[in-house]
Amino acid sequence: MSRYTDAKCRLCRRQGVKLFLKGPRCMTPKCAFEKRPFAPGMSRGSRRRLSDYGVQLREKQKVRYIYGISERQFNNYFVKANRIPGVTGENFLRLLEKRLDNVVFRGGVADSRSDARQMVLHRHFKVNGKIVNIPSFMVSVGDKIELTDVGKKHKKIKEIIDEKEQLNPPSWLEFQPEQFTFTVLREPNRDDIDYQVEESLIVEFYSK
């Protein structure tokens, strides 16, 4: 699968909004978007007006960059969401939220989704007692996600945990600090999305 290897901050500048792709750094003055809040290759204040199609495309790309997935994966998720009864846009966001790498990030064990993806790939997490190294693995209600023995000794993970007084996962996840386990209590819903997104624009983009 193709992977974006250019500077992540260029994605934020291109979209005209912070995507928080680099974790805590995005909250500091070192953030490139704070220094240069205009598109790459353009001078300050020269951002051009977008057509309706351009607005829809930008919204699609923004969400794709946030979750760090390929164009093919993104399209497949939308096709699947369109087949599920209910509101397509909300179904689509729900599928993205249920990815294992996103659950690890939402749980607060990783600073960013890209870090969470790497941790999953390196076999640092188990789902219902079995090691899972597939970032796109879909969790279900009742699933328990926990660190492996190797994961508990991982330097980066230990630093993140030690820096935080307590982990504050979203309400659809329950954290048991004694076992350091996350349990999926329910399906994530629209109110659990903590970034600005107009999923209706994505639905319009794929409906053409």
Side-chain angles (χ1 to χ4, degrees):
M1 181 185 74
S2 61
R3 185 167 61 91
Y4 181 83
T5 57
D6 206 345
K8 294 180 180 178
C9 294
R10 290 177 65 88
L11 297 178
C12 299
R13 294 175 58 205
R14 188 176 299 146
Q15 298 302 311
V17 64
K18 276 192 178 186
L19 304 179
F20 299 97
L21 302 178
K22 302 189 75 172
R25 181 184 176 89
C26 298
M27 307 299 293
T28 69
K30 294 182 179 180
C31 175
F33 186 81
E34 294 288 347
K35 297 178 180 179
R36 294 172 291 176
F38 48 89
M42 301 178 70
S43 59
R44 185 182 294 273
S46 61
R47 193 177 293 276
R48 61 188 179 187
R49 184 176 180 180
L50 295 175
S51 63
D52 290 343
Y53 174 81
V55 172
Q56 296 164 4
L57 176 61
R58 172 165 290 179
E59 196 70 11
K60 176 187 76 74
Q61 294 294 74
K62 180 179 76 173
V63 176
R64 188 169 75 82
Y65 294 149
I66 286 175
Y67 288 95
I69 59 180
S70 70
E71 188 70 47
R72 177 177 291 182
Q73 281 182 308
F74 198 82
N75 181 72
N76 288 343
Y77 281 127
F78 186 84
V79 171
K80 185 175 181 179
N82 201 30
R83 293 172 179 170
I84 301 174
V87 182
T88 300
E90 294 183 8
N91 291 337
F92 179 63
L93 294 178
R94 185 176 297 113
L95 289 175
L96 294 174
E97 282 290 294
K98 289 166 60 178
R99 287 172 53 97
L100 180 57
D101 56 356
N102 180 73
V103 173
V104 171
F105 168 70
R106 289 290 197 205
V109 184
D111 285 334
S112 65
R113 287 182 178 85
S114 59
D115 284 350
R117 185 176 304 109
Q118 187 176 47
M119 291 175 184
V120 174
L121 286 171
H122 288 179
R123 302 168 64 86
H124 292 324
F125 290 90
K126 295 189 292 186
V127 179
N128 298 329
K130 295 183 179 180
I131 294 177
V132 177
N133 63 342
I134 304 173
S136 61
F137 178 87
M138 284 284 163
V139 301
S140 303
V141 176
D143 282 353
K144 291 187 177 182
I145 299 94
E146 60 184 320
L147 282 164
T148 61
D149 292 337
V150 175
K152 292 176 182 177
K153 300 175 183 177
H154 191 270
K155 181 180 178 181
K156 177 71 172 179
I157 296 176
K158 289 180 66 177
E159 287 177 354
I160 293 174
I161 295 173
D162 291 342
E163 288 174 359
K164 299 179 179 180
E165 295 183 1
Q166 61 179 8
L167 300 181
N168 295 305
S171 59
W172 57 281
L173 292 175
E174 181 183 34
F175 176 55
Q176 296 88 31
E178 297 80 12
Q179 298 83 23
F180 209 91
T181 301
F182 293 94
T183 302
V184 182
L185 298 178
R186 60 172 174 80
E187 294 275 332
N189 56 44
R190 183 63 181 82
D191 294 335
D192 295 315
I193 305 299
D194 61 352
Y195 60 89
Q196 294 293 324
V197 58
E198 294 184 50
E199 63 272 20
S200 60
L201 293 176
I202 302 175
V203 174
E204 291 173 7
F205 177 86
Y206 281 112
S207 298
K208 292 184 176 180

